[in-house]
Amino acid sequence: MTTRHFLTLLDLTPDELKKLIRRAVELKQIRNNGEVYEPLSNQVMAMIFEKSSTRTRVSFEAGMAQLGGHALFLSSRDTQLGRGEPTEDSAKVISSMCDVVMIRTFEHEIVETFAAHSRVPVINALTDDYHPCQLLADMQTFLEHRGDIKGKTVSWIGDGNNMCNSYINAARQFDFKLQVACPEGFDPNPELVAANSDRVTLFRTPEEAVHGSDLVVTDVWASMGQEDEQKQREREFKGYQVTTELMDLANPDALFMHCLPAHRGEEVSAEMMDDPRSVVFDEAENRLHAQKALLEFLLVKPGV
Ligand code: CP
Ligand code: NVA
């Protein structure tokens, strides 16, 4: 059987994704009931971080421990990865000793190259282009609060970044409409937009993009690796803050999500973060449950 990877949401079929999200809800219940479920005993995950993280590291490491396995934290600062050892060689070596590899890095090609030379599943834990693990948690959160997202309308406000690109893939895989509002020059990947033009519409004002929306989502204006552009971006993204007033223009039962970390007073107001429509902390917790479902999907063979 060929090794399955999770580099973007397109690596799983819509049906597999739907089942995985439902399984995440079950795994959350299992944990809340205090039941022990350890199908990954004796399995090891390598976690390669070339960028910072709180949620991704904690959720994968805790998730692996809860499933009975073990997780290794590898930063580029103190492994040979940071000293120029080729990705291909690192993939062969690490995948010969571990059962699954999670990578957070810069260029998306790095995770593709790693996966091409890995004998075990590789999970993309964020690249400059995509953040698919976050979308699993977001889809679980919507399901828990509002039911099936199929046929709903989602608004993306702000930078057309890795999260926005993953929302475009999610619109296709989970079958919803996506209304994107970015300042000129900050649109998401144009090929991705063109390939999904039946579901994705670009606007220039947040007000237009939130009209008729069931879920409003934003993210930081300067992502990791763009720290030098922070000040300039604050100027360019003026008017793109998600506020309670902007949310009032969406549907009355619309939810607000943000992958976190959030910059209150920039892409989101402090008031909006604490608003009852904001589910950002449920969303963060669901990283744990959704990724446990992903690990189970990739590592536990049916009937074994
Ligand atoms: N949302 C997210 O991926 O958070 P971290 O950067 O803290 O992992
Ligand atoms: N777009 C952000 C997401 C952080 C979880 C970044 O890449 O830094």
Side-chain angles (χ1 to χ4, degrees):
M1 222 176 78
T2 53
T3 304
R4 299 288 299 268
H5 301 293
F6 186 62
L7 306 187
T8 75
L9 288 173
L10 305 185
D11 286 331
L12 270 63
T13 66
D15 191 49
E16 286 171 335
L17 286 168
K18 194 171 175 176
K19 286 189 182 134
L20 192 152
I21 300 302
R22 294 195 181 274
R23 181 62 179 153
V25 176
E26 283 173 14
L27 289 172
K28 185 173 186 171
Q29 194 57 53
I30 288 172
R31 176 164 158 74
N32 288 345
N33 293 345
E35 291 170 43
V36 175
Y37 174 61
E38 297 184 331
L40 300 187
S41 95
N42 206 33
Q43 304 224 34
V44 177
M45 174 165 64
M47 307 192 300
I48 299 172
F49 281 95
E50 301 204 274
K51 290 177 176 172
S52 302
S53 168
T54 297
R55 279 144 290 270
T56 304
R57 178 177 178 182
V58 174
S59 55
F60 268 117
E61 196 162 333
M64 214 42 207
Q66 289 163 14
L67 293 172
H70 184 78
L72 276 178
F73 175 76
L74 304 171
S75 91
S76 42
R77 238 196 309 269
D78 39 32
T79 58
Q80 301 292 1
L81 286 160
R83 297 182 62 251
E85 183 166 10
T87 304
E88 293 84 341
D89 295 358
S90 303
K92 285 178 196 160
V93 172
I94 294 170
S95 74
S96 72
M97 301 179 195
C98 297
D99 302 281
V100 56
V101 181
M102 181 237 86
I103 310 177
R104 169 168 284 197
T105 189
F106 293 86
E107 294 86 21
H108 190 71
E109 292 70 32
I110 296 174
V111 293
E112 291 178 336
T113 304
F114 199 107
H117 294 87
S118 170
R119 48 164 115 147
V120 301
V122 174
I123 298 171
N124 172 8
L126 183 144
T127 61
D128 290 345
D129 295 341
Y130 296 101
H131 193 8
C133 290
Q134 183 67 51
L135 265 290
L136 298 181
D138 289 19
M139 294 300 100
Q140 180 187 349
T141 310
F142 192 90
L143 178 71
E144 289 174 338
H145 283 270
R146 294 287 184 268
D148 201 342
I149 200 161
K150 184 181 163 91
K152 302 281 185 189
T153 299
V154 177
S155 309
W156 177 268
I157 309 299
D159 191 16
N161 62 12
N162 45 9
M163 276 295 300
C164 182
N165 289 336
S166 284
Y167 259 95
I168 296 175
N169 278 342
R172 176 191 183 124
Q173 298 292 71
F174 291 91
D175 196 8
F176 57 79
K177 257 180 71 186
L178 183 66
Q179 305 185 155
V180 177
C182 308
E184 219 169 324
F186 297 94
D187 287 342
N189 179 334
E191 284 161 28
L192 204 55
V193 173
N196 294 284
S197 57
D198 52 335
R199 287 163 212 283
V200 181
T201 315
L202 299 188
F203 295 94
R204 283 286 169 241
T205 72
E207 290 75 14
E208 287 172 291
V210 299
H211 184 76
S213 183
D214 303 295
L215 169 63
V216 176
V217 194
T218 190
D219 186 14
V220 291
W221 290 338
S223 286
M224 289 181 276
Q226 298 172 332
E227 288 78 5
D228 294 351
E229 299 171 29
Q230 174 69 32
K231 285 286 157 226
Q232 191 204 331
R233 282 171 172 260
E234 279 174 32
R235 286 191 292 274
E236 308 236 34
F237 284 81
K238 204 170 173 295
Y240 281 77
Q241 184 180 97
V242 180
T243 59
T244 54
E245 292 77 19
L246 184 70
M247 277 299 288
D248 291 344
L249 303 177
N251 287 342
D253 62 348
L255 295 174
F256 170 72
M257 292 191 200
H258 187 313
C259 64
L260 306 180
H263 291 184
R264 289 169 174 80
E266 290 179 32
E267 76 277 1
V268 58
S269 68
E271 189 192 17
M272 189 59 234
M273 283 288 284
D274 297 329
D275 189 275
R277 291 168 288 189
S278 166
V279 289
V280 297
F281 295 109
D282 289 347
E283 182 189 0
E285 180 192 324
N286 282 339
R287 293 292 303 278
L288 173 70
H289 311 297
Q291 287 159 200
K292 283 168 74 177
L294 175 65
L295 289 167
E296 187 188 55
F297 173 84
L298 293 171
L299 298 178
V300 181
K301 300 296 160 241
V304 176

